[in-house]
Amino acid sequence: TKQENVKYLLFYRTMALAAGLLLLFLAGSAWNQERFALVSIDVNPGIELQVDGQEHVISVRAVNEDAKKLLEQIDIEHMDVQQASDIIIQKLCQGAYLKKGEENVALISVHRGRYMEQEIETRLESQVKSSLEKASLRCQMITQRVKKTHNEERTAKQYQITLGKAGLIERILGQEGRRYTKGQLASMQVKELFELIQRDNLEQESDGLQIISCGMEDTRQENLEPNPKEEPKEAQEPVEKQQDA
């Protein structure tokens, strides 16, 4: 009947309007996500920081129990990245995840939102590096630029790891001759992944991956410096020979 047709027409129009609003919401949400950067810090605790265009932390996520315990002790939201990373590194030292006098390994990954300036990646990396140097730590810092693909997001969610560690796993699996599963790599500590990178020259083969030494040069220079107490003896020998003559 005519009345039923009107009901059906109103129903379909309502459904179409709801679907349109849902699409607008999802598109707006995706656009909003691309206005932020994601910085992940992996040692053993895995921590993700969402950062806005002014380089302030707007949200923090812990991906494992160690990270949850660490974040319970601090409140770093709304801080700038430099302050936040200083506090995180300090807590990692206090929890003995990073140790002074030993060679540490940290994985620092940055995903830049599409609508953010490209230079922010370099600045965010340098800010975390500065935090490691302030703590007087000897550390090999693996830095990488990651893309937020569905594959990496799925890997991160499945194994409860950061997007950065998931990105590194994808890099390792992408090389020929790899005999590891995602599960095996996800269960490895960052130090073990670092050893794989070094052994297989992954840094040279993979674009956007870099290893930076923090606090290592100072130690090498100290070992190379001559003993200042020995220098005066060598300088006095020629003078004594002239007096004998």
Side-chain angles (χ1 to χ4, degrees):
T1 64
K2 187 175 181 181
Q3 194 173 14
E4 288 177 341
N5 290 336
V6 170
K7 285 182 180 179
Y8 281 123
L9 183 61
L10 287 172
F11 173 77
Y12 286 123
R13 281 183 176 177
T14 303
M15 291 298 293
L17 179 62
L21 290 172
L22 179 61
L23 285 172
L24 284 172
F25 172 78
L26 292 174
S29 178
W31 178 81
N32 195 46
Q33 287 294 318
E34 291 298 336
R35 293 172 56 235
F36 301 106
L38 189 70
V39 181
S40 63
I41 301 173
D42 283 279
V43 178
N44 169 26
I47 298 170
E48 288 184 342
L49 310 176
Q50 193 173 30
V51 181
D52 64 16
Q54 283 71 48
E55 298 173 26
H56 288 98
V57 177
I58 57 172
S59 68
V60 187
R61 188 174 81 92
V63 299
N64 53 25
E65 288 302 317
D66 287 334
K68 286 177 184 176
K69 290 176 184 177
L70 186 147
L71 290 179
E72 284 173 358
Q73 306 170 43
I74 57 177
D75 182 12
I76 56 175
E77 286 190 17
H78 311 300
M79 287 186 182
D80 62 65
V81 175
Q82 184 68 76
Q83 275 183 298
S85 58
D86 284 349
I87 292 170
I88 290 170
I89 298 303
Q90 184 181 6
K91 287 297 179 182
L92 288 171
C93 291
Q94 290 176 2
Y97 298 109
L98 292 171
K99 299 179 181 179
K100 294 186 179 182
E102 296 185 15
E103 185 173 327
N104 302 281
V105 179
L107 170 64
I108 311 301
S109 312
V110 179
H111 162 71
R112 174 178 60 88
R114 189 184 305 170
Y115 302 112
M116 299 186 79
E117 58 178 355
Q118 193 168 356
E119 291 76 13
I120 198 168
E121 293 172 323
T122 304
R123 289 201 301 273
L124 292 172
E125 287 171 354
S126 65
Q127 285 170 347
V128 180
K129 179 176 181 286
S130 173
S131 296
L132 288 165
E133 290 172 341
K134 284 179 187 176
S136 302
L137 289 167
R138 295 175 57 201
C139 187
Q140 297 285 4
M141 189 174 88
I142 310 166
T143 67
Q144 63 171 352
R145 315 284 170 84
V146 293
K147 295 180 180 179
K148 202 173 183 180
T149 65
H150 291 299
N151 196 28
E152 289 173 348
E153 287 185 298
R154 187 168 56 248
T155 300
K157 187 175 181 180
Q158 181 179 355
Y159 296 105
Q160 295 185 336
I161 56 178
T162 64
L163 184 73
K165 190 173 181 181
L168 185 62
I169 287 170
E170 293 298 331
R171 287 176 187 272
I172 294 172
L173 290 173
Q175 300 298 315
E176 293 183 4
R178 305 292 171 186
R179 296 184 179 180
Y180 305 100
T181 65
K182 283 186 181 181
Q184 287 173 326
L185 293 171
S187 65
M188 289 184 182
Q189 300 289 332
V190 173
K191 200 163 189 175
E192 294 175 290
L193 295 174
F194 172 70
E195 289 169 359
L196 282 179
I197 292 169
Q198 281 199 313
R199 188 187 70 191
D200 299 320
N201 294 320
L202 186 61
E203 182 188 8
Q204 297 176 1
E205 298 173 15
S206 185
D207 184 40
L209 184 70
Q210 188 178 9
I211 296 173
I212 302 170
S213 296
C214 302
M216 310 295 284
E217 293 179 3
D218 295 339
T219 306
R220 285 196 294 268
Q221 285 175 0
E222 286 174 7
N223 294 334
L224 291 171
E225 282 180 2
N227 189 344
K229 294 180 181 178
E230 295 177 356
E231 292 179 1
K233 292 181 180 179
E234 294 176 1
Q236 288 174 3
E237 286 180 4
V239 177
E240 291 175 1
K241 287 180 182 179
Q242 288 177 1
Q243 287 176 353
D244 292 340

